[in-house]
Amino acid sequence: MGPPPLFGPATRFLIAAAAFIVVVAGLRAASSLVTPFLLAVFIAVVATPPLRTLRSRGAPNWAAMLLVVLAIAGLGSVLAILVAGSLDGFKASLPEYQDRLKLLVDDLARWLDGVGLHTSREALQTYIDPARVLGMAGDLVSGLSGVLANAFLILLTVVFMLLEAAGLPAKLRAALTSPETSTERMHVVLDSINRYMGIKSLTSLGTGLILWAWLTILGVDYAVLWALIAFLLNFVPTIGSILAAVPAVLLALVQIDLQSALLVAVGYLVVNTLVGSILEPKIMGYGLGLSTLVVFVSLVFWGWVLGPVGMFLSVPLTMSLKIALDANPQTRPIAVMLGPEIREPHRNRTIGPLD
């Protein structure tokens, strides 16, 4: 019989909670350093499959690395140029758009007075403040632009990560006591994360390109900016598509008319339904998913800890945590709780909260 535990369950829980709070506080205090590093990890994970493909087709290691790094630098440069131009123009036009939105709110107040619903214009502008939504959209991309100011540091970190990834299995075999089990489990986790990131990046890129074409056809200003926001927020299932659509719909309402705003909303609805509800689940499979509550909580949590870029990285970070938990039998129940709803095979219905 072994010695009794030093601490009881309640004490161990309090120690774990205190350690979690200390780690979160440290991440928030060091967000200016942690955020570029996490963004570099994200880029490195997405760039790993193309690097492996080039190596498997006979390309030398240095040539494959050079091609991947040049592709990352080229895409980053194009993205920075497009974002800088669109963001500067949008910020210059933002006061004008906000004035038009205030006029629309006044028109809404007069219409309510006409149907017998009398309300204060000040109260209506306080509770219905669509101008704040446009400002939040600009702040989101501004936060990303601030991180891109460290583009050279991020790119350099990505290069070192890709170089280190080639020799990581040998280091693990030399360092671990049971390398076969540990390396196999790590391969499962990394392959699942690579697959999720790759598929999500491609579907997000497709979503952004389709919405850019649709907004350009409708004549909405700064279509590149709204397509970029759609690309970023497509990493946040369910909630992200709604958040991405709101500023574009409001701008179409202010800039053009109600009919164009409805067409923009329909375009977002169709694209996100096809991609998020049909294409992605069919490609990824059921196992790679998060519950809606977990998505919302992770969005709020990582956005509070790391700022606007944390909102973009919230679901990839939480998804990576879920995959890692699912690879270990001891922590698999936590991964199941983080996942989506489970359908019972016999009754063929979703298990609800009251079952």
Side-chain angles (χ1 to χ4, degrees):
M1 185 174 180
L6 296 177
F7 302 106
T11 305
R12 290 199 298 270
F13 172 77
L14 290 176
I15 293 174
F20 175 76
I21 293 173
V22 170
V23 171
V24 170
L27 287 174
R28 193 162 191 258
S31 60
S32 59
L33 179 64
V34 174
T35 302
F37 177 77
L38 290 177
L39 196 57
V41 172
F42 171 79
I43 297 173
V45 170
V46 174
T48 299
L51 185 63
R52 289 179 179 174
T53 302
L54 291 173
R55 288 173 177 169
S56 64
R57 294 185 177 181
N61 187 29
W62 65 268
M65 180 69 69
L66 181 61
L67 287 174
V68 170
V69 171
L70 288 177
I72 294 173
L75 289 174
S77 300
V78 172
L79 183 65
I81 293 172
L82 292 176
V83 169
S86 299
L87 190 59
D88 290 342
F90 174 70
K91 283 186 174 181
S93 304
L94 187 58
E96 179 183 355
Y97 292 145
Q98 290 176 338
D99 292 338
R100 292 182 187 176
L101 284 171
K102 290 180 181 178
L103 293 176
L104 289 176
V105 173
D106 290 338
D107 292 340
L108 176 62
R110 283 193 291 270
W111 180 80
L112 291 175
D113 290 339
V115 298
L117 298 175
H118 301 287
T119 182
S120 170
R121 283 172 171 74
E122 291 76 12
L124 197 61
Q125 289 182 353
T126 300
Y127 292 108
I128 304 177
D129 190 7
R132 188 179 302 172
V133 177
L134 294 178
M136 289 174 62
D139 293 340
L140 175 64
V141 183
S142 295
L144 181 63
S145 301
V147 175
L148 291 178
N150 299 319
F152 179 74
L153 176 62
I154 294 174
L155 183 62
L156 197 62
T157 307
V158 170
V159 172
F160 283 119
M161 286 180 178
L162 293 177
L163 290 173
E164 191 71 18
L168 185 60
K171 290 184 178 180
L172 289 175
R173 283 192 293 269
L176 298 175
T177 54
S178 56
E180 292 80 10
T181 304
S182 300
T183 53
E184 182 181 356
R185 185 176 298 168
M186 178 167 290
H187 277 303
V188 170
V189 172
L190 293 179
D191 289 343
S192 299
I193 293 175
N194 277 335
R195 180 168 171 264
Y196 171 79
M197 293 293 191
I199 294 173
K200 196 67 178 176
S201 299
L202 289 176
T203 55
S204 299
L205 180 61
T207 299
L209 290 175
I210 295 172
L211 290 174
W212 168 77
W214 181 242
L215 294 175
T216 303
I217 292 172
L218 293 177
V220 180
D221 288 342
Y222 311 110
V224 173
L225 184 63
W226 310 127
L228 174 64
I229 292 177
F231 166 76
L232 296 178
L233 291 181
N234 192 63
F235 285 88
V236 182
T238 308
I239 305 171
S241 59
I242 299 174
L243 296 177
V246 171
V249 172
L250 284 177
L251 184 61
L253 177 63
V254 171
Q255 178 200 343
I256 311 176
D257 53 21
L258 179 60
Q259 182 179 356
S260 298
L262 292 176
L263 288 175
V264 170
V266 170
Y268 272 85
L269 179 63
V270 171
V271 172
N272 287 291
T273 300
L274 291 177
V275 174
S277 301
I278 299 176
L279 183 61
E280 283 184 0
K282 187 171 293 187
I283 297 176
M284 290 186 181
Y286 176 75
L288 294 178
L290 294 172
S291 73
T292 306
L293 176 62
V294 172
V295 169
F296 178 74
V297 172
S298 66
L299 179 69
V300 174
F301 174 76
W302 289 111
W304 176 74
V305 174
L306 301 177
V309 180
M311 299 174 64
F312 160 61
L313 294 174
S314 61
V315 171
L317 288 172
T318 309
M319 194 70 235
S320 301
L321 176 63
K322 176 181 178 290
I323 293 171
L325 293 172
D326 188 63
N328 192 326
Q330 295 180 348
T331 56
R332 187 166 295 150
I334 303 177
V336 173
M337 297 303 295
L338 294 176
E341 294 176 321
I342 298 177
R343 292 187 177 275
E344 291 182 306
H346 300 295
R347 290 188 291 174
N348 194 25
R349 69 183 183 87
T350 302
I351 298 176
L354 299 180
D355 290 340

